[in-house]
Amino acid sequence: MNNMQKQYEEARKQYQDVGVDTDKALEKLGKIPISIHCWQGDDVTGFEYSDIALGGGLLTTGNFKGKPRNLLQLRQDIEKAFTLIPGPKKINLHPIYGDFKGKKVDRDQIGPEHFESWVDWAQKNNAGIDFNPTTFAHKMADGGYTISDKDKKIRNFWIEHARRCREISNYFGSRLGKTCIYNIWVQDGAKDTTLAKYEHRMIMKEALDEIFSEKYPESNVLDALESKLFGLGSESFTVGSLDFYLAYAAQNGKLITFDTGHFHPTELVSDKISAVLPFLKGIMLHLSRGIRWDSDHVTIMSDEVIEIMKEIVRAGATGRVYIGTDFFDSSINRIGAWAIGARAVIKALLVALLEPASVIKKYEDEGLLFARLGMLEDSKTMPFGAVWNYHCLASGVPADAAWIGEVLKYEAEVLDER
Ligand code: RNT
Ligand code: ZN
């Protein structure tokens, strides 16, 4: 038995004493896919013909070396990141990452044919695919609105784009046999006081109806709507606010996407999980780390991320809360950023699965409230790290600290050569 196995055996006993079966927790963990956003790889640039700046309220800062210049390099980087992240994975794509082979294909012209090579890649890498429309970085979005624009020409362009993206999502789901979450986030909104809020929201509602009018099997594609508090340039009005999308999702059987950077800094997504689950088909998570604002810093294993995972597990909702990441930091090694964020999320999920829930719940039911809080506190010093490292090794992925050397090696061998 090597050291890590020994440590695991010790930890297993400790957890057993508080009613937790670590083997079962790891078995569960090994079945929950994490959706990893591809856009950390290249600062949300994509490989379209156009070189229009990001816009839409999105911003990356930093210029770390070795940014991939084509799809092959991006995939190479994702593959490297995947070797550092244990368990089943999905790659979350945007249309700007289509395989256009140097051709100019506008957003209202894209189709499954531009994503065939991604399906091949996903099959080879045993991954699922999630998808989104890309409404930013395009001249048709200069006015700040897309699918809710008052100009019919503009909104129809984006509705067509969004419909095609949904068709592509269905294609991903059917070819891979893994449900694709089709997540719609649009930047629609205004910098300053707007009188036509109701008008824009009515237009958006109808646009969504149109986008979702085609029926696809839910085993292939599940639709999700991502709300936002505000964006750069849309500080005063965001059409797709939480209230708007929640109501739409509840009425139309859609998922809500909670991006942890899209709320007031003191507002907790963890408390929203159990609040919306009774009414919604499910939740998609974009785990991000906002610092003072929606800054999209690399996700870490914060108290809130742990609490989110605990709420999912406590609600028995691991089957209908879809876990994904969303951050873009171009100031540090991008592969390292992916690994930190994804590993943090999986670690937090493991902590949740290792919660001595039966003991704590019993205290709660008996009204022993000091004991409930006491056990919650005591569980923080349980040897979860030993279980995590064991899980990494069993999944063929380097343990904590060891993965860092892998990234440095890749930086020297691949990024420095680009
Ligand atoms: C933007 C949203 C959205 C994007 C990606 C690129 O604020 O979070 O999810 O980050 O679609
Ligand atoms: Zn997001």
Side-chain angles (χ1 to χ4, degrees), residues 39 44 58 94 136 185 226 228 259 262 286 294 326 328:
W39 52 90
V44 214
L58 307 179
H94 255 273
F136 46 84
W185 173 76
E226 181 178 359
K228 191 160 173 171
D259 182 311
H262 290 191
H286 275 191
D294 179 34
D326 181 8
F328 23 99

Side-chain angles (χ1 to χ4, degrees), residues 93-98 100 107 110 115 131-134 161 165:
L93 298 178
H94 255 273
I96 47 175
Y97 295 91
F100 302 116
R107 304 264 175 95
I110 58 167
F115 293 87
F131 207 47
N132 313 259
T134 313
H161 171 68
C165 288

